[in-house]
Amino acid sequence: MKDRQAHIEIEDKEVVVTGGYELHARHGRRFFQSVLGGRRLDAGWRVPRRGMRIQDLVVRINSFLEAEGFRISHGELAAKGVELALERRRSLQRAGAEATSWRAGRSNIDEEEVAARLESLGWRPERRLHSHQRRNVCHALAAVNQANFSVPGAGKTVTSLAAGLLHLNAGTVDAFLVVGPLACFEPWESETTAAVGTAVRPIRVRGAVHRRREVYAEASRGDLLLLSYAMAASDRLAILAMCERLNVMLIVDESHRIKRFRGGVWAPALTQIAELARVRMILTGTPMPNSARDLYSQVNVLWPNGLLTGSRTEFASRVDRNFAGVRTSIEPFTTRTAKSELGLPAYRIERHSVPLTGTQADIYRLIRNRLRDRVDDADTWDDKLEALRRARPIRLLQAGSNPDLLNHPDDAYRLPKIPPTNPTLMQRLTRFSDTDIPAKSSAALEIVRGLVEDGEKVVCWSNFIRNLDSFSALLHRELGIPVFQVDGRVPASDDPVQDRRGGDVSQDDTRERRIEQFLSVDGPAALVTNPATSSESISLHRACHNAVYLDRTYDAALFFQSIDRIHRLGLPEDAQVTIHILRATIGGDDTIDHLVDASLLGKQEAMEELLGGAEIHPLQQDAADPEGNLADLEQLMHYLVGEGDDDES
């Protein structure tokens, strides 16, 4: 039988495939017409791009024809596209094989030799790498493009910096582009200075557009540019020009923030930049905060053009049908340090019972009775659960923490001001901040007082912004110590803000500066903050070993990330990390705080199993719901219906 032949050509941003009647056979007709939307020609097909890059379309057609047994020839432009795609696949295969060999102990990359090479390049002894960090550096060299999914506090910044220095010395890269949340900038700057001195120069990309373009245009060997996700998307063209001029190592920090499976502008911009980057690295301790689909955009930064993921539709199908297979395919390029490998001493939890009395107790009973009434009005169990969710159980957490929160709307949780029902009690509620101190605030004050007398620093957590305000004022008034408050209203960086005329307005008061002041001030001090703002990308462990929780929600991810701020690698050997948890009681009985505590303990066990192992798993999305998952609502339901009726005043 005569060999089937086909010719691929690019004409007017379309792909033309010619070769005869065989291209019109059933398989060919289905592929070219139904799948690609091509138009039939006498001797083949004319295929539009339909949103695909022309090179990717050529490769897709080429792969189909090869599988069908065609001998293929190419026009000049088509040949370049195929060769580029083939070289990318060969690079993927080479890196995967080398990383697999390293894991099997068959690689020439030796940990001791790598450590010695770093030392010869000026790596500072005080930043000597731990064994798991040396292992991750070696893996980065073997895999070339690495996903470091180590737990928070494992030293992902210093590990990637060490790998980058080795690439810089080898001539593989000239400069570094670190894209991440604004809070990660200071750790990158401090770690770079501490580890390599001036061998690598951190530069924050900031200011007006023309100034940022100058930074990209003038970037040179040894520069480490720090910029946010939004800025990377905004400055994409200037960054691409820099990547064509220099060999760039792209590092995406806290890469789970680009997890959006569809839509968005961050991931497409970073993927395009990644195509021109010589070396690529993604860093996150929680690669799948919601589901396995969170990996798609991140892995496409690591290996663009769907080399590891396939198309978006294909990836969604694979993770749903066979996540173990997906994990196996990306495993050569991933490294993970479990928290058990860090050798940290266990932190101590002290639980404090705090009785609610007076107006606060009455308000708590009022909110509890309202929730119970909503449940009683529903018919089936499912209806009761839905009614409870709509009634917003977080109101009960507010009442137990600080009743004054009910007097004001809360934009973070989309809560309006509570409507009045009992006039007498509501009058007492409106005057609460003038006449009372919340019971848990009083108890937390005494805990902080004891720590202050011992010369200690402490971080105090609450999920409610107004509670941060009132507790900060209480500490100022009663203890007279330095108090630094950080929440979403404080600017996230000291980057200048452009005014409408294009000039810069300096910001002297930022989250970073407040945290730096808290850590550097002599003697005792308090940082008052919320997990939504400060549970990620900041390190307090070198100066602060105490945390006080005025309240907690059912969001397990935020709670344990907040603990990681003071319980992480680099703790002084004699440090004892202590977590103080306040649980309200009423008339000697438990409150919702005890339900939250039990829920978080159960979620902690599940999360430690996921985060403690070498394999990566998606966290359960409902573990991050501040108002609880189905099991939490069911427990709250039993709590409500098990309580007898109480008066509202």
Side-chain angles (χ1 to χ4, degrees):
M1 181 178 176
K2 186 177 179 180
D3 289 341
R4 294 188 293 178
Q5 299 186 21
H7 181 76
I8 304 176
E9 188 71 72
I10 297 176
E11 293 182 3
D12 299 327
K13 297 184 179 180
E14 292 184 320
V15 178
V16 176
V17 184
T18 55
Y21 73 91
E22 293 94 343
L23 294 172
H24 295 155
R26 183 166 57 89
H27 285 172
R29 187 170 62 253
R30 180 186 302 155
F31 177 74
F32 286 106
Q33 188 174 51
S34 301
V35 176
L36 298 183
R39 302 189 303 278
R40 184 167 179 163
L41 304 175
D42 288 341
W45 298 89
R46 179 178 288 273
V47 183
R49 290 191 303 130
R50 294 207 307 181
M52 293 182 65
R53 297 189 320 165
I54 197 72
Q55 297 95 331
D56 296 337
L57 180 58
V58 168
V59 171
R60 187 171 184 183
I61 293 172
N62 192 87
S63 299
F64 169 79
L65 294 174
E66 282 184 342
E68 291 294 310
F70 282 84
R71 293 178 59 190
I72 309 167
S73 60
H74 306 88
E76 183 178 356
L77 292 177
K80 288 181 179 179
V82 171
E83 180 56 34
L84 178 60
L86 290 175
E87 178 53 35
R88 287 171 175 163
R89 292 194 179 278
R90 286 193 288 264
S91 296
L92 172 68
Q93 291 166 356
R94 287 194 299 267
E98 178 62 22
T100 301
S101 295
W102 178 82
R103 288 181 184 277
R106 298 191 301 268
S107 172
N108 293 326
I109 302 174
D110 180 78
E111 288 187 24
E112 296 302 325
E113 291 180 3
V114 165
R117 200 186 323 163
L118 283 170
E119 185 177 350
S120 70
L121 296 176
W123 191 269
R124 302 285 178 81
E126 55 268 29
R127 280 295 184 270
R128 183 173 287 108
L129 300 178
H130 295 266
S131 59
H132 70 272
Q133 294 172 335
R134 293 198 303 269
R135 181 189 69 217
N136 290 344
V137 171
C138 291
H139 175 264
L141 298 178
V144 183
N145 301 315
Q146 181 196 57
N148 191 332
F149 293 153
S150 298
V151 296
K156 292 186 288 293
T157 299
V158 74
T159 299
S160 52
L161 181 63
L165 182 64
L166 293 169
H167 279 301
L168 182 67
N169 178 255
T172 312
V173 303
D174 303 314
F176 309 93
L177 185 71
V178 177
V179 183
L182 298 172
C184 83
F185 289 4
E186 192 282 328
W188 271 98
E189 291 168 335
S190 60
E191 286 291 352
T192 300
T193 301
V196 298
T198 58
V200 175
R201 300 175 297 278
I203 301 171
R204 295 194 187 199
V205 182
R206 57 189 182 183
V209 173
H210 71 276
R211 293 183 184 176
R212 303 201 304 266
R213 289 176 178 170
E214 288 176 359
V215 173
Y216 303 127
E218 297 172 1
S220 60
R221 180 176 172 79
D223 286 346
L224 187 150
L225 307 186
L226 292 158
L227 60 156
S228 67
Y229 307 108
M231 192 170 289
S234 176
D235 297 350
R236 175 179 53 87
L237 294 179
I239 294 170
L240 291 173
M242 180 186 71
C243 292
E244 290 177 342
R245 181 173 59 86
L246 298 171
N247 290 325
V248 170
M249 180 175 180
L250 172 65
I251 303 171
V252 181
D253 204 349
E254 304 292 0
S255 61
H256 61 272
R257 295 198 178 194
I258 60 166
K259 65 182 182 298
R260 184 181 294 185
F261 188 64
R262 296 184 186 275
V265 296
W266 295 354
L270 287 172
T271 301
Q272 194 171 358
I273 294 168
E275 289 184 47
L276 295 184
R278 185 68 182 274
V279 177
R280 302 173 288 274
M281 187 175 289
I282 58 176
L283 314 176
T284 176
T286 52
M288 294 172 285
N290 296 326
S291 76
R293 295 188 182 192
D294 295 342
L295 285 173
Y296 178 78
S297 295
Q298 299 175 75
V299 175
N300 261 317
V301 168
L302 202 64
W303 287 100
N305 304 299
L307 286 178
L308 271 178
T309 62
S311 69
R312 184 179 279 104
T313 301
E314 291 168 342
F315 188 79
S317 177
R318 289 174 62 203
V319 297
D320 291 342
R321 289 185 294 103
N322 182 21
F323 174 65
V326 173
R327 188 169 54 200
T328 298
S329 68
I330 69 173
E331 186 177 32
F333 306 101
T334 63
T335 187
R336 181 171 183 78
T337 300
K339 191 154 188 176
S340 58
E341 297 180 72
L342 303 185
L344 296 174
Y347 55 81
R348 183 175 65 218
I349 292 183
E350 294 188 9
R351 290 176 170 82
H352 305 263
S353 293
V354 182
L356 303 184
T357 59
T359 298
Q360 185 167 10
D362 292 339
I363 292 295
Y364 183 89
R365 292 189 184 98
L366 168 68
I367 302 302
R368 189 181 65 195
N369 289 345
R370 286 186 175 185
L371 291 176
R372 185 190 300 142
D373 290 343
R374 293 288 294 273
V375 169
D376 288 342
D377 289 341
D379 296 324
T380 68
W381 181 257
D382 288 343
D383 290 341
K384 290 178 183 294
L385 289 173
E386 181 57 31
L388 180 56
R389 181 177 292 280
R390 289 198 305 268
R392 305 303 303 273
I394 202 167
R395 293 288 199 189
L396 207 51
L397 292 171
Q398 289 182 311
S401 185
N402 182 354
D404 186 52
L405 298 171
L406 302 169
N407 287 320
H408 310 276
D410 189 313
D411 294 337
Y413 295 105
R414 299 180 180 178
L415 292 169
K417 176 182 176 180
I418 192 169
T421 53
N422 182 318
T424 302
L425 183 53
M426 297 308 293
Q427 288 177 0
R428 292 162 59 195
L429 174 61
T430 58
R431 298 193 303 268
F432 185 86
S433 62
D434 298 325
T435 60
D436 293 78
I437 296 176
K440 289 206 284 187
S441 293
S442 294
L445 172 66
E446 295 310 309
I447 294 171
V448 174
R449 189 192 305 276
L451 293 171
V452 165
E453 291 174 353
D454 292 335
E456 297 279 341
K457 287 181 168 60
V458 57
V459 55
C460 304
W461 299 92
S462 173
N463 290 276
F464 306 108
I465 297 297
R466 287 187 175 273
N467 213 21
L468 302 180
D469 294 339
S470 62
F471 191 65
S472 293
L474 181 65
L475 292 180
H476 270 301
R477 184 173 68 249
E478 297 297 325
L479 301 183
I481 60 171
V483 178
F484 304 91
Q485 183 173 332
V486 173
D487 57 61
R489 298 168 298 182
V490 182
S493 172
D494 64 354
D495 289 2
V497 174
Q498 297 177 50
D499 64 22
R500 294 184 179 180
R501 296 163 299 185
D504 292 334
V505 180
S506 65
Q507 297 178 359
D508 296 324
D509 189 22
T510 66
R511 299 180 197 179
E512 283 182 345
R513 292 185 179 180
R514 291 189 186 187
I515 291 171
E516 181 182 355
Q517 290 170 340
F518 164 68
L519 294 174
S520 60
V521 68
D522 290 335
L527 173 66
V528 180
T529 187
N530 59 326
T533 301
S534 300
S535 67
E536 199 176 74
S537 296
I538 68 169
S539 298
L540 308 174
H541 60 295
R542 298 188 185 278
C544 178
H545 309 128
N546 305 283
V548 176
Y549 288 84
L550 282 83
D551 50 67
R552 297 179 299 164
T553 71
Y554 285 101
D555 190 329
L558 279 183
F559 172 57
F560 295 116
Q561 285 172 354
S562 70
I563 291 178
D564 286 334
R565 299 313 98 206
I566 64 174
H567 188 249
R568 57 200 294 116
L569 200 65
L571 271 173
E573 292 184 1
D574 59 346
Q576 172 61 65
V577 173
T578 304
I579 309 298
H580 296 272
I581 294 173
L582 305 180
R583 299 186 301 181
T585 62
I586 188 163
D589 294 330
D590 294 349
T591 65
I592 191 173
D593 287 342
H594 295 76
L595 301 181
V596 169
D597 194 34
S599 173
L600 293 178
L601 284 173
K603 292 173 183 176
Q604 178 181 20
E605 183 176 345
M607 291 181 69
E608 285 179 347
E609 183 177 348
L610 295 179
L611 299 177
E615 292 185 336
I616 58 169
H617 300 266
L619 297 179
Q620 295 300 314
Q621 185 173 10
D622 59 12
D625 189 334
E627 295 193 75
N629 57 25
L630 179 60
D632 297 326
L633 286 175
E634 289 180 338
Q635 289 300 315
L636 180 56
M637 180 85 74
H638 289 299
Y639 164 75
L640 292 173
V641 299
E643 295 288 339
D645 291 333
D646 293 306
D647 292 334
E648 290 190 357
S649 59

